[in-house]
């Protein structure tokens, strides 16, 4: 069981949603906080809620931003690579700007976080890295191909990071967080799209899916606080997979069965229909 009191938790995407909930949860454990987000107003609000924290505007898609953030932090212990965005659309409809944006935040953000912090945790032979993926990293729902690509990549990166650390005899832990629908701000992530990255014109099908996603996210039974508590528990227990929604395991199992049986994948959103 890892002791967290007095140690430092690093969280990206801390200006709202799950990142803010993680900040509050780790604060309740008596940890010091280093928080990052592109949303400075949201970050300021999170800082007010947790009392005191090092905060910095960071675009996680930029290596220099993440490295400057790391340089400001003494003795990081828990590192949560959490920032994420979610443009929707059929894979042929997403613009190059859509792909650059989501790959930059969801995948390169995690890569930059691992590269900046993992060597420091390895050097102190202790700590824990939490990478936020999604159940979309374990199944492949239609209409969110770009998002699925990034989240599958984060799961693969995290699993390999775990193996690499064990191979080197390191005590650094790794967890990958794979939640389903949780009421957070990710369905409104367009507000943080950088200027200059083109957005695809949305088809009527994608507009309908976007509306349905917002409803599903808003009606999620688990809250961001529930998921944050699960993250804290996983870090303490040194547990790798964080699956917050047990009912999704049927869809994960169905995907694995389709692979093993070498048949076309079933739509994970229609398995019960």
């Amino acid at each position: 069981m890892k002791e967290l009191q007095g140690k430092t938790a690093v969280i990206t995407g801390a200006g709202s949603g799950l990142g803010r909930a993680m900040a509050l949860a780790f604060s309740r454990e008596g940890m010091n906080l280093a928080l990052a987000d592109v949303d400075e107003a949201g970050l300021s609000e999170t800082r007010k809620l947790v009392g005191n924290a090092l905060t910095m505007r960071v675009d996680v898609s930029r290596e220099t931003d993440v490295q400057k953030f790391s340089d400001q932090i003494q003795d990081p212990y828990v590192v949560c690579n959490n920032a994420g965005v979610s443009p929707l659309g059929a894979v042929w409809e997403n613009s190059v700007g859509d792909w650059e944006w989501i790959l930059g935040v969801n995948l390169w953000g995690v890569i930059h976080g691992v590269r900046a912090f993992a060597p420091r945790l390895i050097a102190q032979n202790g700590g824990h890295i939490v990478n936020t993926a999604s159940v979309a990293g374990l199944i492949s729902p239609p209409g969110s191909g770009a998002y699925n690509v990034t989240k599958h990549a984060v799961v693969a990166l995290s699993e390999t990071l775990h193996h690499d650390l064990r191979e080197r005899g390191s005590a650094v832990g790794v967890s990958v967080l794979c939640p389903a629908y949780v009421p957070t701000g990710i369905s409104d992530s367009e507000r943080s799209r950088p200027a200059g990255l083109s957005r695809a014109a949305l088809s009527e099908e994608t507009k309908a899916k976007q509306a349905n996603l917002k409803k599903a996210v808003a009606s999620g039974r688990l809250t961001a606080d529930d998921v944050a508590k699960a993250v804290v528990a996983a870090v303490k227990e040194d547990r790798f997979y964080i699956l917050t929604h047990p009912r999704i395991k049927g869809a994960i199992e169905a995907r694995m069965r389709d692979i093993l049986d070498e048949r076309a994948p079933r739509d994970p959103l229609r398995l019960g229909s």
Side-chain angles (χ1 to χ4, degrees), residues 2 7 75-77 117-129 164-173 238:
K2 290 182 176 175
K7 296 176 180 176
D75 302 321
Y77 188 78
F117 288 99
R120 300 182 63 184
L121 301 188
I122 292 167
Q124 67 193 31
N125 200 32
H128 204 98
I129 296 171
D164 288 347
L165 289 166
R166 298 295 84 79
E167 187 177 65
R168 302 289 180 91
S170 174
V172 176
D238 202 17

Side-chain angles (χ1 to χ4, degrees), residues 33-44:
L33 299 174
L35 310 176
D37 206 301
V38 292
D39 178 2
E40 293 180 276
L43 199 55
S44 178

Side-chain angles (χ1 to χ4, degrees), residues 12 60 79-85 102-114 129-139 145-163 174-179 186 240-242:
T12 65
V60 296
V79 177
C80 299
N81 295 306
N82 170 72
V85 297
I102 197 168
L103 286 167
V105 177
N106 292 10
L107 179 54
W108 276 106
V110 177
I111 294 169
H112 293 324
V114 169
I129 296 171
V130 180
N131 294 328
T132 298
S134 164
V135 296
L138 302 171
I139 58 177
Y147 185 76
N148 298 346
V149 165
T150 63
K151 295 307 183 179
H152 275 265
V154 169
V155 171
L157 186 157
S158 303
E159 290 173 342
T160 310
L161 175 62
H162 167 83
H163 295 318
V174 181
S175 295
V176 63
L177 173 61
C178 298
I186 193 165
F240 183 83
Y241 293 106
I242 310 175

Side-chain angles (χ1 to χ4, degrees), residues 2-143:
K2 290 182 176 175
E3 175 56 50
L4 303 181
Q5 174 80 31
K7 296 176 180 176
T8 299
V10 179
I11 305 166
T12 65
S16 62
L18 185 52
R20 176 177 289 172
M22 285 184 187
L24 289 164
F26 283 116
S27 178
R28 288 192 292 268
E29 295 293 318
M31 297 192 76
N32 304 312
L33 299 174
L35 310 176
D37 206 301
V38 292
D39 178 2
E40 293 180 276
L43 199 55
S44 178
E45 183 61 29
T46 300
R47 182 174 181 175
K48 291 177 185 176
L49 291 171
V50 298
N52 189 36
L54 177 125
T55 59
M56 186 173 177
R57 185 190 185 282
V58 175
D59 178 348
V60 296
S61 71
R62 298 177 180 272
E63 180 188 12
T64 52
D65 275 23
V66 177
Q67 190 58 57
K68 286 177 183 177
F69 180 48
S70 176
D71 291 343
Q72 299 299 310
I73 303 165
Q74 291 187 348
D75 302 321
Y77 188 78
V78 176
V79 177
C80 299
N81 295 306
N82 170 72
V85 297
S86 61
L88 298 180
V91 291
W92 64 85
E93 293 178 336
N94 290 124
S95 67
V96 171
D98 289 333
W99 281 100
E100 289 178 347
W101 181 38
I102 197 168
L103 286 167
V105 177
N106 292 10
L107 179 54
W108 276 106
V110 177
I111 294 169
H112 293 324
V114 169
R115 293 188 70 254
F117 288 99
R120 300 182 63 184
L121 301 188
I122 292 167
Q124 67 193 31
N125 200 32
H128 204 98
I129 296 171
V130 180
N131 294 328
T132 298
S134 164
V135 296
L138 302 171
I139 58 177
S140 303

